[in-house]
Amino acid sequence: MEKNEETPLFWFETSNSVCSRHQFQPDGQLSVILVDDSRPLYQKVAGSFMNKFFPSGYPYSVNEGYLRYTQFRAVQHVTSAAMSVLSTQSLLIAAGLRPTPAQATAVSWILKDGMQHVGKIICSNWGARMDSEPKRWRLLADVLYDLGMGLEVLSPLCPHLFLEMAGLGNFAKGMAVVAARATRLPIYSSFAKEGNLSDLFAKGEAFSTLCNVVGIGIGIRLASTICASMQGKLVICPLLSAIHIYSVSEEMKATPINTLNPQRTAMIVTDFLKAGIVSSPADLRYKENLLFPVRLEDAGNVRVGKSLHEVIKPSKLVELKQVFPKEKFLLNRGGKCIDMVLKQDASGEDALRGWLVAAFAAQTESSSHELSASVLQDAYDKMNGVFPVFLKELQRKGWHTDRFLDGTGSRFAF
């Protein structure tokens, strides 16, 4: 008896006026064929744009705030690219040349050498601080970049200082490039909701490239018209820079960084002690101070980063180790703050435990210049009572508690 050939398994799916035929091939691969697309042209173009420049599964595959981040990122790259064309044109004029806008665009690739490399080397020494405060350093990177381009734009006003102006400008831009690249991955990681970091990174870089091309086109147009004179540049460039910095600031405010650092830990502990809630990364993103992170009194006013010998006298060390025999942190009052020193292998959970102890101790003995063993012991017992629930809620909200990024690298070991 002959065996009937198996009928290929296929089905049709219809969604938003789009009909597609899905079928499994003999090799097990799934093929999708578009059968009918009755959407208006503008919807087709928008859908194609979303597929090329947004992560697969958007908006469900990314964390809250990604759209706002992307909107301001577009403005940032367009304004930055336009300013780059104008600054390069000014540099060449200061050097005695009269380039066309197109020549200015081409030569801009050559002028990135020299002092820029020195700036890159110097800025690389602050990598740990960039891990701790990626949003602040990303904002600082764009301020430095605009400062560098500003020097280039002003160079025609003092052509006898051409080398100095161009060198300082490229030095600032070199530092900016390192800071921007170093903070890119932590920022992308904060949006990767489903482990889709590579997809997010690829689409984000493609979108940046598109915006840069648009910005270069606008820069060429401005260089040929309004900014053909120095007076025009002095009006347009500050305006572009202001829009650029504002856009970066809004990008960073929309970014929900989910790693623990001193500022975010202090805000988490403050909310927990005052309202009994655990804030999520999305809750804190607009509360972070991007320029000057401040210590919070309600969170114990903790200071992290000093070395062990700066914080604790040898006579006090034995007493503290008796209070915290198995912990990877030590606490001691230093003026108006409570200093916390972490052990070399301390994790984010250890830092959270220490921070809670400091906060409870500060509530009990706010007027004393020293933390007595009895106060610390009482605060330690309170911390142990609430910590399991506190930690579980933190992890549920998406915080990475496996590490603590203090940005200094000052730890102790026995």
Side-chain angles (χ1 to χ4, degrees), residues 284-359:
L284 297 185
R285 55 187 172 150
Y286 288 107
K287 298 179 183 179
E288 287 188 71
N289 190 322
L290 299 182
L291 296 179
F292 306 106
V294 294
R295 300 185 187 94
L296 302 175
E297 295 287 346
D298 293 319
N301 204 8
V302 178
R303 178 171 54 191
V304 184
K306 286 193 171 185
S307 58
L308 185 64
H309 72 274
E310 293 178 297
V311 174
I312 303 170
K313 296 178 182 178
S315 58
K316 182 78 172 177
L317 186 59
V318 176
E319 178 185 345
L320 291 175
K321 284 302 294 177
Q322 290 174 347
V323 178
F324 312 120
K326 298 180 180 179
E327 297 294 342
K328 297 180 180 180
F329 64 85
L330 292 174
L331 300 172
N332 195 37
R333 183 174 290 281
K336 295 181 180 180
C337 303
I338 295 178
D339 288 306
M340 178 168 69
V341 187
L342 296 172
K343 199 174 178 181
Q344 192 67 44
D345 59 345
S347 66
E349 294 182 20
D350 298 310
L352 286 166
R353 291 171 68 86
W355 217 290
L356 280 172
V357 172

Side-chain angles (χ1 to χ4, degrees), residues 79-157:
T79 53
S80 177
M83 287 178 62
S84 180
V85 174
L86 300 179
S87 66
T88 302
Q89 184 190 44
S90 295
L91 271 179
L92 295 176
I93 291 174
L97 303 175
R98 291 286 171 182
T100 65
Q103 288 172 330
T105 305
V107 176
S108 67
W109 295 99
I110 302 172
L111 297 178
K112 293 181 183 294
D113 296 330
M115 286 293 289
Q116 192 174 95
H117 296 303
V118 179
K120 289 179 178 179
I121 293 172
I122 292 176
C123 192
S124 64
N125 294 323
W126 300 317
R129 298 182 185 273
M130 296 177 199
D131 277 331
S132 177
E133 292 281 359
K135 293 161 69 168
R136 177 151 56 113
W137 279 90
R138 185 65 181 86
L139 180 59
L140 178 61
D142 284 272
V143 171
L144 285 171
Y145 197 82
D146 281 9
L147 178 63
M149 287 195 289
L151 290 171
E152 293 174 351
V153 168
L154 295 174
S155 58
L157 298 178

